[in-house]
Amino acid sequence: MRPTVHDIADKAGVSLATVDRVLNDRPGVRGVTRARVEAAIAALGYVRDVAAANLAKGRVYPLVFILPEGDNPFMRGLEAEVRRAGLHSAAERTRLSVATVPAFDAAALAKAIDAAIAGDVSGIAAVAVDAPEVSDAIARAHAAGIPVVTLVSDLAGSGRDHFVGVDNIAAGRTAGSLMGRFLGGRPGPVAVLAGSMRVRDHGERLEGFLAAMSAMPQARAILPVLEGQDDPELSFSLIADCLAKVPDLAGIYSLGAGNRGLIAALSAGGRGDLCVIVHELTGETRAALESGVVDAVLNQDAGHEVRSAIRVLRAKADGLPVNAAQERIRLDIFIKDNLPADPDEEN
């Protein structure tokens, strides 16, 4: 049987009120009495149920999600999921808010983390940019006792508390395996469209993709990475230029969110002969998959990621363990034949 506060009071020879003051680190307890209570706690092996204590106090958790702004359908989907979760936040004892910063702007992200610290939040979830100033900001959050979860793109060396997202190296390997198998013995190089190599998820996806492609029986050139900054117009220009300069292009891997520009360039160039693999199932990539412009979409569930980040931040704020199996984010592979129902058509 687990020891209780009554057991502590009996063993230490003090009142329940004194035990409560010690457990909650409140004043009004003499040093010798506090030491006697702490010794009883240690001897009994008492483990405090922090979550239950916070529930009894009616504690509310203010959590902030820091997301890139701009025309990125997946990030806007994440924002919508945060706001949807916020509709039920009172029942979950959370108060959710969203802050947006320019995409790939490390200084702006660090400033937003500092603003969250100053706002005395209970937890921060942020799409990380791989830069020293972001790591420093995360360290400041830790010093303030605020847990930080990296979302979608990790920053493993920063001391963040948890990463919520898919295994991006595995995602890149999956894209490379699909590309190699779809192309078979067809000759020609492959282009890679990224947003920015300053975010860890894009770098990891590229790493996995190159490893899988190099293991294929057919040797194939991979062109230098095109960085479209997840901007549709820039991505369109980069892909249109590539199509014009590389007439024997065999495939394109879009590992970021420049898919609107990519699809527009392919349609304008009449290039339905390429093998095209992209990330994230949106209205645009769904239509391109159905029309045959895109061959495969690798997808992660934005709703699951938001719910996972909320659970992890609450657990960290209470000092409780994280259920790793529950928080594992699955990578889905969609081709034309296994597309799920369109939620917009169902509503």
Side-chain angles (χ1 to χ4, degrees):
M1 182 180 296
R2 292 177 58 183
T4 68
V5 290
H6 292 84
D7 297 325
I8 298 170
D10 290 342
K11 188 169 184 64
V14 298
S15 67
L16 288 173
T18 298
V19 174
D20 181 73
R21 289 191 188 96
V22 174
L23 287 173
N24 290 285
D25 198 26
R26 289 200 294 267
V29 182
R30 292 185 305 161
V32 63
T33 304
R34 182 178 295 274
R36 197 161 69 244
V37 172
E38 290 174 346
I41 291 170
L44 292 168
Y46 175 80
V47 178
R48 187 183 183 204
D49 190 341
V50 180
N54 283 333
L55 178 61
K57 295 176 189 175
R59 180 182 178 186
V60 175
Y61 302 76
L63 309 177
V64 62
F65 284 74
I66 305 175
L67 306 176
E69 61 190 30
D71 189 11
N72 181 326
F74 182 73
M75 293 302 168
R76 301 289 67 77
L78 274 177
E79 183 174 357
E81 291 293 345
V82 175
R83 299 196 186 283
R84 186 174 293 113
L87 297 175
H88 312 287
S89 60
E92 299 293 330
R93 296 182 297 117
T94 57
R95 186 171 66 250
L96 306 181
S97 61
V98 176
T100 59
V101 296
F104 314 122
D105 189 330
L109 175 55
K111 184 176 180 180
I113 292 172
D114 285 334
I117 297 169
D120 197 27
V121 298
S122 296
I124 300 168
V127 178
V129 177
D130 193 355
E133 54 262 52
V134 177
S135 295
D136 291 344
I138 291 174
R140 290 191 289 274
H142 278 186
I146 300 171
V148 177
V149 163
T150 50
L151 191 64
V152 181
S153 184
D154 197 12
L155 195 52
S158 66
R160 51 85 175 132
D161 292 270
H162 193 81
F163 169 59
V164 175
V166 299
D167 181 334
N168 283 298
I169 294 178
R173 283 200 307 267
T174 301
S177 295
L178 291 172
M179 180 72 73
R181 285 167 171 76
F182 286 171
L183 288 176
R186 175 184 170 181
V190 169
V192 176
L193 175 65
S196 170
M197 301 313 294
R198 290 195 68 191
V199 288
R200 188 75 62 89
D201 60 326
H202 290 195
E204 290 177 341
R205 290 175 185 178
L206 178 63
E207 178 185 342
F209 181 75
L210 294 177
M213 290 296 290
S214 67
M216 289 292 152
Q218 172 78 22
R220 193 177 303 278
I222 309 297
L223 301 178
V225 176
L226 304 172
E227 294 189 59
Q229 302 299 314
D230 286 349
D231 177 80
E233 293 184 4
L234 178 56
S235 298
F236 177 92
S237 176
L238 291 171
I239 293 298
D241 184 61
C242 179
L243 293 175
K245 291 180 177 178
V246 190
D248 63 336
L249 189 69
I252 300 175
Y253 172 39
S254 175
L255 55 78
N259 295 323
R260 178 179 297 175
L262 164 66
I263 293 166
L266 291 172
S267 299
R271 294 299 301 270
D273 59 320
L274 302 177
C275 176
V276 180
I277 298 174
V278 304
H279 281 263
E280 315 316 345
L281 187 64
T282 65
E284 292 153 349
T285 58
R286 173 186 288 273
L289 197 57
E290 291 173 332
S291 67
V293 174
V294 165
D295 294 271
V297 176
L298 307 183
N299 188 65
Q300 53 190 317
D301 187 332
H304 186 187
E305 294 191 357
V306 168
R307 294 188 296 273
S308 177
I310 293 169
R311 286 192 297 266
V312 170
L313 286 173
R314 284 186 50 184
K316 292 294 182 180
D318 274 340
L320 299 176
V322 172
N323 185 338
Q326 183 182 24
E327 311 311 341
R328 187 174 296 113
I329 306 299
R330 184 180 66 189
L331 179 71
D332 292 314
I333 304 171
F334 294 121
I335 58 175
K336 184 177 181 179
D337 303 298
N338 73 333
L339 269 174
D342 188 343
D344 292 332
E345 292 182 357
E346 292 181 339
N347 295 332

